[in-house]
PDB file of all heavy atoms in Angstrom:
ATOM      1  N   THR H 120      24.140  39.184  -1.968  1.00  0.00           N
ATOM      2  CA  THR H 120      24.602  37.831  -2.333  1.00  0.00           C
ATOM      3  C   THR H 120      23.539  36.787  -1.998  1.00  0.00           C
ATOM      4  O   THR H 120      23.266  35.865  -2.773  1.00  0.00           O
ATOM      5  CB  THR H 120      25.907  37.502  -1.590  1.00  0.00           C
ATOM      6  OG1 THR H 120      26.905  38.469  -1.933  1.00  0.00           O
ATOM      7  CG2 THR H 120      26.411  36.104  -1.955  1.00  0.00           C
ATOM      8  N   ARG H 121      22.916  36.941  -0.828  1.00  0.00           N
ATOM      9  CA  ARG H 121      21.871  35.995  -0.429  1.00  0.00           C
ATOM     10  C   ARG H 121      20.685  36.044  -1.381  1.00  0.00           C
ATOM     11  O   ARG H 121      20.103  35.011  -1.721  1.00  0.00           O
ATOM     12  CB  ARG H 121      21.416  36.302   0.994  1.00  0.00           C
ATOM     13  CG  ARG H 121      22.449  35.941   2.052  1.00  0.00           C
ATOM     14  CD  ARG H 121      21.978  36.365   3.424  1.00  0.00           C
ATOM     15  NE  ARG H 121      22.943  36.000   4.454  1.00  0.00           N
ATOM     16  CZ  ARG H 121      22.856  36.358   5.722  1.00  0.00           C
ATOM     17  NH1 ARG H 121      21.833  37.151   6.105  1.00  0.00           N
ATOM     18  NH2 ARG H 121      23.779  35.990   6.594  1.00  0.00           N
ATOM     19  N   ARG H 122      20.308  37.281  -1.793  1.00  0.00           N
ATOM     20  CA  ARG H 122      19.182  37.405  -2.731  1.00  0.00           C
ATOM     21  C   ARG H 122      19.519  36.741  -4.060  1.00  0.00           C
ATOM     22  O   ARG H 122      18.684  36.114  -4.689  1.00  0.00           O
ATOM     23  CB  ARG H 122      18.815  38.883  -2.918  1.00  0.00           C
ATOM     24  CG  ARG H 122      18.103  39.505  -1.722  1.00  0.00           C
ATOM     25  CD  ARG H 122      17.430  40.821  -2.113  1.00  0.00           C
ATOM     26  NE  ARG H 122      18.416  41.836  -2.490  1.00  0.00           N
ATOM     27  CZ  ARG H 122      18.988  42.676  -1.633  1.00  0.00           C
ATOM     28  NH1 ARG H 122      18.662  42.631  -0.345  1.00  0.00           N
ATOM     29  NH2 ARG H 122      19.873  43.568  -2.049  1.00  0.00           N
ATOM     30  N   GLN H 123      20.794  36.926  -4.489  1.00  0.00           N
ATOM     31  CA  GLN H 123      21.233  36.304  -5.744  1.00  0.00           C
ATOM     32  C   GLN H 123      21.094  34.782  -5.683  1.00  0.00           C
ATOM     33  O   GLN H 123      20.600  34.140  -6.602  1.00  0.00           O
ATOM     34  CB  GLN H 123      22.700  36.687  -6.019  1.00  0.00           C
ATOM     35  CG  GLN H 123      22.893  38.117  -6.450  1.00  0.00           C
ATOM     36  CD  GLN H 123      22.549  38.292  -7.918  1.00  0.00           C
ATOM     37  OE1 GLN H 123      21.367  38.347  -8.297  1.00  0.00           O
ATOM     38  NE2 GLN H 123      23.583  38.372  -8.752  1.00  0.00           N
ATOM     39  N   TRP H 124      21.564  34.192  -4.565  1.00  0.00           N
ATOM     40  CA  TRP H 124      21.478  32.734  -4.415  1.00  0.00           C
ATOM     41  C   TRP H 124      20.020  32.272  -4.319  1.00  0.00           C
ATOM     42  O   TRP H 124      19.656  31.215  -4.844  1.00  0.00           O
ATOM     43  CB  TRP H 124      22.240  32.300  -3.157  1.00  0.00           C
ATOM     44  CG  TRP H 124      23.708  32.096  -3.402  1.00  0.00           C
ATOM     45  CD1 TRP H 124      24.731  32.882  -2.990  1.00  0.00           C
ATOM     46  CD2 TRP H 124      24.282  31.037  -4.172  1.00  0.00           C
ATOM     47  NE1 TRP H 124      25.933  32.399  -3.441  1.00  0.00           N
ATOM     48  CE2 TRP H 124      25.684  31.252  -4.181  1.00  0.00           C
ATOM     49  CE3 TRP H 124      23.770  29.953  -4.869  1.00  0.00           C
ATOM     50  CZ2 TRP H 124      26.570  30.410  -4.822  1.00  0.00           C
ATOM     51  CZ3 TRP H 124      24.652  29.104  -5.530  1.00  0.00           C
ATOM     52  CH2 TRP H 124      26.031  29.341  -5.506  1.00  0.00           C
ATOM     53  N   ALA H 125      19.187  33.060  -3.673  1.00  0.00           N
ATOM     54  CA  ALA H 125      17.771  32.686  -3.554  1.00  0.00           C
ATOM     55  C   ALA H 125      17.113  32.646  -4.920  1.00  0.00           C
ATOM     56  O   ALA H 125      16.326  31.745  -5.237  1.00  0.00           O
ATOM     57  CB  ALA H 125      17.042  33.662  -2.631  1.00  0.00           C
ATOM     58  N   ARG H 126      17.440  33.682  -5.764  1.00  0.00           N
ATOM     59  CA  ARG H 126      16.852  33.694  -7.109  1.00  0.00           C
ATOM     60  C   ARG H 126      17.342  32.494  -7.919  1.00  0.00           C
ATOM     61  O   ARG H 126      16.589  31.877  -8.668  1.00  0.00           O
ATOM     62  CB  ARG H 126      17.205  35.011  -7.804  1.00  0.00           C
ATOM     63  CG  ARG H 126      16.385  36.202  -7.328  1.00  0.00           C
ATOM     64  CD  ARG H 126      16.508  37.368  -8.302  1.00  0.00           C
ATOM     65  NE  ARG H 126      17.884  37.871  -8.354  1.00  0.00           N
ATOM     66  CZ  ARG H 126      18.344  38.833  -7.562  1.00  0.00           C
ATOM     67  NH1 ARG H 126      17.551  39.381  -6.648  1.00  0.00           N
ATOM     68  NH2 ARG H 126      19.601  39.257  -7.673  1.00  0.00           N
ATOM     69  N   ARG H 127      18.618  32.184  -7.790  1.00  0.00           N
ATOM     70  CA  ARG H 127      19.162  31.050  -8.540  1.00  0.00           C
ATOM     71  C   ARG H 127      18.520  29.720  -8.110  1.00  0.00           C
ATOM     72  O   ARG H 127      18.231  28.861  -8.941  1.00  0.00           O
ATOM     73  CB  ARG H 127      20.678  30.980  -8.350  1.00  0.00           C
ATOM     74  CG  ARG H 127      21.423  32.111  -9.034  1.00  0.00           C
ATOM     75  CD  ARG H 127      22.887  32.094  -8.667  1.00  0.00           C
ATOM     76  NE  ARG H 127      23.594  33.226  -9.263  1.00  0.00           N
ATOM     77  CZ  ARG H 127      24.862  33.529  -9.000  1.00  0.00           C
ATOM     78  NH1 ARG H 127      25.555  32.780  -8.142  1.00  0.00           N
ATOM     79  NH2 ARG H 127      25.428  34.558  -9.600  1.00  0.00           N
ATOM     80  N   LEU H 128      18.328  29.566  -6.795  1.00  0.00           N
ATOM     81  CA  LEU H 128      17.709  28.331  -6.305  1.00  0.00           C
ATOM     82  C   LEU H 128      16.265  28.200  -6.779  1.00  0.00           C
ATOM     83  O   LEU H 128      15.806  27.121  -7.144  1.00  0.00           O
ATOM     84  CB  LEU H 128      17.757  28.292  -4.770  1.00  0.00           C
ATOM     85  CG  LEU H 128      19.129  28.019  -4.150  1.00  0.00           C
ATOM     86  CD1 LEU H 128      19.069  28.149  -2.637  1.00  0.00           C
ATOM     87  CD2 LEU H 128      19.613  26.607  -4.530  1.00  0.00           C
ATOM     88  N   ARG H 129      15.535  29.361  -6.777  1.00  0.00           N
ATOM     89  CA  ARG H 129      14.146  29.305  -7.258  1.00  0.00           C
ATOM     90  C   ARG H 129      14.090  28.917  -8.715  1.00  0.00           C
ATOM     91  O   ARG H 129      13.249  28.138  -9.143  1.00  0.00           O
ATOM     92  CB  ARG H 129      13.457  30.657  -7.027  1.00  0.00           C
ATOM     93  CG  ARG H 129      13.042  30.907  -5.579  1.00  0.00           C
ATOM     94  CD  ARG H 129      12.026  32.047  -5.500  1.00  0.00           C
ATOM     95  NE  ARG H 129      12.625  33.309  -5.949  1.00  0.00           N
ATOM     96  CZ  ARG H 129      13.270  34.145  -5.160  1.00  0.00           C
ATOM     97  NH1 ARG H 129      13.411  33.866  -3.867  1.00  0.00           N
ATOM     98  NH2 ARG H 129      13.783  35.279  -5.638  1.00  0.00           N
ATOM     99  N   SER H 130      14.990  29.460  -9.494  1.00  0.00           N
ATOM    100  CA  SER H 130      14.980  29.135 -10.922  1.00  0.00           C
ATOM    101  C   SER H 130      15.441  27.701 -11.178  1.00  0.00           C
ATOM    102  O   SER H 130      15.039  27.067 -12.154  1.00  0.00           O
ATOM    103  CB  SER H 130      15.868  30.125 -11.685  1.00  0.00           C
ATOM    104  OG  SER H 130      17.215  30.034 -11.229  1.00  0.00           O
ATOM    105  N   ALA H 131      16.307  27.194 -10.289  1.00  0.00           N
ATOM    106  CA  ALA H 131      16.825  25.834 -10.489  1.00  0.00           C
ATOM    107  C   ALA H 131      15.922  24.767  -9.868  1.00  0.00           C
ATOM    108  O   ALA H 131      16.110  23.575 -10.126  1.00  0.00           O
ATOM    109  CB  ALA H 131      18.228  25.721  -9.882  1.00  0.00           C
ATOM    110  N   ARG H 132      14.928  25.179  -9.049  1.00  0.00           N
ATOM    111  CA  ARG H 132      14.093  24.199  -8.345  1.00  0.00           C
ATOM    112  C   ARG H 132      13.432  23.183  -9.268  1.00  0.00           C
ATOM    113  O   ARG H 132      13.451  21.984  -8.977  1.00  0.00           O
ATOM    114  CB  ARG H 132      13.048  24.934  -7.504  1.00  0.00           C
ATOM    115  CG  ARG H 132      12.191  23.999  -6.654  1.00  0.00           C
ATOM    116  CD  ARG H 132      11.256  24.789  -5.762  1.00  0.00           C
ATOM    117  NE  ARG H 132      12.021  25.601  -4.818  1.00  0.00           N
ATOM    118  CZ  ARG H 132      11.464  26.532  -4.044  1.00  0.00           C
ATOM    119  NH1 ARG H 132      10.159  26.787  -4.133  1.00  0.00           N
ATOM    120  NH2 ARG H 132      12.204  27.225  -3.203  1.00  0.00           N
ATOM    121  N   PRO H 133      12.815  23.628 -10.393  1.00  0.00           N
ATOM    122  CA  PRO H 133      12.199  22.621 -11.273  1.00  0.00           C
ATOM    123  C   PRO H 133      13.194  21.578 -11.750  1.00  0.00           C
ATOM    124  O   PRO H 133      12.864  20.387 -11.859  1.00  0.00           O
ATOM    125  CB  PRO H 133      11.639  23.461 -12.428  1.00  0.00           C
ATOM    126  CG  PRO H 133      11.455  24.827 -11.845  1.00  0.00           C
ATOM    127  CD  PRO H 133      12.585  25.001 -10.888  1.00  0.00           C
ATOM    128  N   TRP H 134      14.415  22.026 -12.053  1.00  0.00           N
ATOM    129  CA  TRP H 134      15.434  21.080 -12.511  1.00  0.00           C
ATOM    130  C   TRP H 134      15.849  20.135 -11.391  1.00  0.00           C
ATOM    131  O   TRP H 134      16.035  18.929 -11.624  1.00  0.00           O
ATOM    132  CB  TRP H 134      16.658  21.846 -13.035  1.00  0.00           C
ATOM    133  CG  TRP H 134      16.369  22.620 -14.270  1.00  0.00           C
ATOM    134  CD1 TRP H 134      16.099  23.945 -14.390  1.00  0.00           C
ATOM    135  CD2 TRP H 134      16.298  22.085 -15.595  1.00  0.00           C
ATOM    136  NE1 TRP H 134      15.861  24.295 -15.690  1.00  0.00           N
ATOM    137  CE2 TRP H 134      15.980  23.174 -16.459  1.00  0.00           C
ATOM    138  CE3 TRP H 134      16.477  20.808 -16.137  1.00  0.00           C
ATOM    139  CZ2 TRP H 134      15.832  23.002 -17.843  1.00  0.00           C
ATOM    140  CZ3 TRP H 134      16.337  20.635 -17.504  1.00  0.00           C
ATOM    141  CH2 TRP H 134      16.007  21.724 -18.347  1.00  0.00           C
ATOM    142  N   LEU H 135      15.987  20.677 -10.199  1.00  0.00           N
ATOM    143  CA  LEU H 135      16.361  19.821  -9.065  1.00  0.00           C
ATOM    144  C   LEU H 135      15.285  18.770  -8.774  1.00  0.00           C
ATOM    145  O   LEU H 135      15.588  17.607  -8.496  1.00  0.00           O
ATOM    146  CB  LEU H 135      16.582  20.684  -7.817  1.00  0.00           C
ATOM    147  CG  LEU H 135      17.799  21.611  -7.851  1.00  0.00           C
ATOM    148  CD1 LEU H 135      17.812  22.523  -6.628  1.00  0.00           C
ATOM    149  CD2 LEU H 135      19.099  20.803  -7.924  1.00  0.00           C
ATOM    150  N   LEU H 136      14.010  19.212  -8.848  1.00  0.00           N
ATOM    151  CA  LEU H 136      12.913  18.268  -8.627  1.00  0.00           C
ATOM    152  C   LEU H 136      12.893  17.188  -9.702  1.00  0.00           C
ATOM    153  O   LEU H 136      12.646  16.008  -9.430  1.00  0.00           O
ATOM    154  CB  LEU H 136      11.580  19.009  -8.597  1.00  0.00           C
ATOM    155  CG  LEU H 136      11.352  19.932  -7.391  1.00  0.00           C
ATOM    156  CD1 LEU H 136      10.047  20.710  -7.545  1.00  0.00           C
ATOM    157  CD2 LEU H 136      11.329  19.121  -6.098  1.00  0.00           C
ATOM    158  N   ALA H 137      13.135  17.611 -10.947  1.00  0.00           N
ATOM    159  CA  ALA H 137      13.144  16.640 -12.047  1.00  0.00           C
ATOM    160  C   ALA H 137      14.254  15.623 -11.863  1.00  0.00           C
ATOM    161  O   ALA H 137      14.057  14.408 -12.029  1.00  0.00           O
ATOM    162  CB  ALA H 137      13.299  17.368 -13.382  1.00  0.00           C
ATOM    163  N   VAL H 138      15.444  16.125 -11.509  1.00  0.00           N
ATOM    164  CA  VAL H 138      16.573  15.211 -11.287  1.00  0.00           C
ATOM    165  C   VAL H 138      16.286  14.272 -10.118  1.00  0.00           C
ATOM    166  O   VAL H 138      16.566  13.061 -10.171  1.00  0.00           O
ATOM    167  CB  VAL H 138      17.862  16.021 -11.031  1.00  0.00           C
ATOM    168  CG1 VAL H 138      18.990  15.095 -10.576  1.00  0.00           C
ATOM    169  CG2 VAL H 138      18.273  16.758 -12.296  1.00  0.00           C
ATOM    170  N   GLY H 139      15.705  14.830  -9.038  1.00  0.00           N
ATOM    171  CA  GLY H 139      15.360  13.989  -7.889  1.00  0.00           C
ATOM    172  C   GLY H 139      14.344  12.933  -8.255  1.00  0.00           C
ATOM    173  O   GLY H 139      14.434  11.781  -7.822  1.00  0.00           O
ATOM    174  N   GLY H 140      13.332  13.318  -9.076  1.00  0.00           N
ATOM    175  CA  GLY H 140      12.327  12.355  -9.496  1.00  0.00           C
ATOM    176  C   GLY H 140      12.921  11.237 -10.316  1.00  0.00           C
ATOM    177  O   GLY H 140      12.595  10.052 -10.131  1.00  0.00           O
ATOM    178  N   VAL H 141      13.811  11.608 -11.230  1.00  0.00           N
ATOM    179  CA  VAL H 141      14.478  10.585 -12.052  1.00  0.00           C
ATOM    180  C   VAL H 141      15.281   9.638 -11.157  1.00  0.00           C
ATOM    181  O   VAL H 141      15.304   8.425 -11.356  1.00  0.00           O
ATOM    182  CB  VAL H 141      15.382  11.244 -13.112  1.00  0.00           C
ATOM    183  CG1 VAL H 141      16.258  10.209 -13.794  1.00  0.00           C
ATOM    184  CG2 VAL H 141      14.531  11.981 -14.132  1.00  0.00           C
ATOM    185  N   GLY H 142      15.939  10.223 -10.137  1.00  0.00           N
ATOM    186  CA  GLY H 142      16.729   9.399  -9.227  1.00  0.00           C
ATOM    187  C   GLY H 142      15.868   8.414  -8.459  1.00  0.00           C
ATOM    188  O   GLY H 142      16.233   7.250  -8.291  1.00  0.00           O
ATOM    189  N   LEU H 143      14.701   8.879  -8.007  1.00  0.00           N
ATOM    190  CA  LEU H 143      13.804   7.993  -7.278  1.00  0.00           C
ATOM    191  C   LEU H 143      13.285   6.861  -8.167  1.00  0.00           C
ATOM    192  O   LEU H 143      13.187   5.711  -7.752  1.00  0.00           O
ATOM    193  CB  LEU H 143      12.625   8.786  -6.700  1.00  0.00           C
ATOM    194  CG  LEU H 143      12.948   9.702  -5.521  1.00  0.00           C
ATOM    195  CD1 LEU H 143      11.728  10.533  -5.143  1.00  0.00           C
ATOM    196  CD2 LEU H 143      13.413   8.877  -4.323  1.00  0.00           C
ATOM    197  N   VAL H 144      12.939   7.220  -9.408  1.00  0.00           N
ATOM    198  CA  VAL H 144      12.475   6.195 -10.353  1.00  0.00           C
ATOM    199  C   VAL H 144      13.572   5.179 -10.610  1.00  0.00           C
ATOM    200  O   VAL H 144      13.340   3.969 -10.647  1.00  0.00           O
ATOM    201  CB  VAL H 144      12.007   6.848 -11.670  1.00  0.00           C
ATOM    202  CG1 VAL H 144      11.747   5.781 -12.732  1.00  0.00           C
ATOM    203  CG2 VAL H 144      10.755   7.677 -11.434  1.00  0.00           C
ATOM    204  N   ALA H 145      14.797   5.679 -10.778  1.00  0.00           N
ATOM    205  CA  ALA H 145      15.917   4.776 -11.022  1.00  0.00           C
ATOM    206  C   ALA H 145      16.148   3.859  -9.827  1.00  0.00           C
ATOM    207  O   ALA H 145      16.393   2.660  -9.980  1.00  0.00           O
ATOM    208  CB  ALA H 145      17.179   5.581 -11.325  1.00  0.00           C
ATOM    209  N   LEU H 146      16.040   4.434  -8.613  1.00  0.00           N
ATOM    210  CA  LEU H 146      16.225   3.627  -7.410  1.00  0.00           C
ATOM    211  C   LEU H 146      15.140   2.569  -7.279  1.00  0.00           C
ATOM    212  O   LEU H 146      15.409   1.413  -6.961  1.00  0.00           O
ATOM    213  CB  LEU H 146      16.220   4.540  -6.181  1.00  0.00           C
ATOM    214  CG  LEU H 146      16.346   3.831  -4.816  1.00  0.00           C
ATOM    215  CD1 LEU H 146      17.679   3.087  -4.735  1.00  0.00           C
ATOM    216  CD2 LEU H 146      16.218   4.841  -3.673  1.00  0.00           C
ATOM    217  N   ALA H 147      13.878   2.979  -7.541  1.00  0.00           N
ATOM    218  CA  ALA H 147      12.773   2.021  -7.461  1.00  0.00           C
ATOM    219  C   ALA H 147      12.949   0.906  -8.481  1.00  0.00           C
ATOM    220  O   ALA H 147      12.714  -0.271  -8.199  1.00  0.00           O
ATOM    221  CB  ALA H 147      11.438   2.742  -7.688  1.00  0.00           C
ATOM    222  N   GLY H 148      13.377   1.274  -9.688  1.00  0.00           N
ATOM    223  CA  GLY H 148      13.601   0.260 -10.711  1.00  0.00           C
ATOM    224  C   GLY H 148      14.715  -0.689 -10.324  1.00  0.00           C
ATOM    225  O   GLY H 148      14.625  -1.906 -10.549  1.00  0.00           O
ATOM    226  N   TRP H 149      15.754  -0.124  -9.700  1.00  0.00           N
ATOM    227  CA  TRP H 149      16.860  -0.979  -9.270  1.00  0.00           C
ATOM    228  C   TRP H 149      16.406  -1.965  -8.196  1.00  0.00           C
ATOM    229  O   TRP H 149      16.729  -3.145  -8.221  1.00  0.00           O
ATOM    230  CB  TRP H 149      17.988  -0.096  -8.743  1.00  0.00           C
ATOM    231  CG  TRP H 149      19.181  -0.888  -8.275  1.00  0.00           C
ATOM    232  CD1 TRP H 149      20.128  -1.485  -9.031  1.00  0.00           C
ATOM    233  CD2 TRP H 149      19.518  -1.166  -6.912  1.00  0.00           C
ATOM    234  NE1 TRP H 149      21.049  -2.121  -8.239  1.00  0.00           N
ATOM    235  CE2 TRP H 149      20.701  -1.936  -6.930  1.00  0.00           C
ATOM    236  CE3 TRP H 149      18.942  -0.827  -5.686  1.00  0.00           C
ATOM    237  CZ2 TRP H 149      21.310  -2.387  -5.767  1.00  0.00           C
ATOM    238  CZ3 TRP H 149      19.557  -1.273  -4.526  1.00  0.00           C
ATOM    239  CH2 TRP H 149      20.724  -2.039  -4.578  1.00  0.00           C
TER     240      TRP H 149
END
């Protein structure tokens, strides 16, 4: 189960970083 979650997190990392970046840009703009 842990390996499964680790693989999912690795695959989702680019998306999480992108969402975080958008959030930071939105916050800075605000």
Side-chain angles (χ1 to χ4, degrees):
T120 301
R121 289 176 179 173
R122 287 196 295 271
Q123 287 281 77
W124 275 108
R126 283 196 296 270
R127 290 173 183 173
L128 287 174
R129 283 197 296 272
S130 61
R132 184 175 297 170
W134 293 99
L135 292 173
L136 291 175
V138 171
V141 170
L143 288 174
V144 170
L146 178 62
W149 180 77

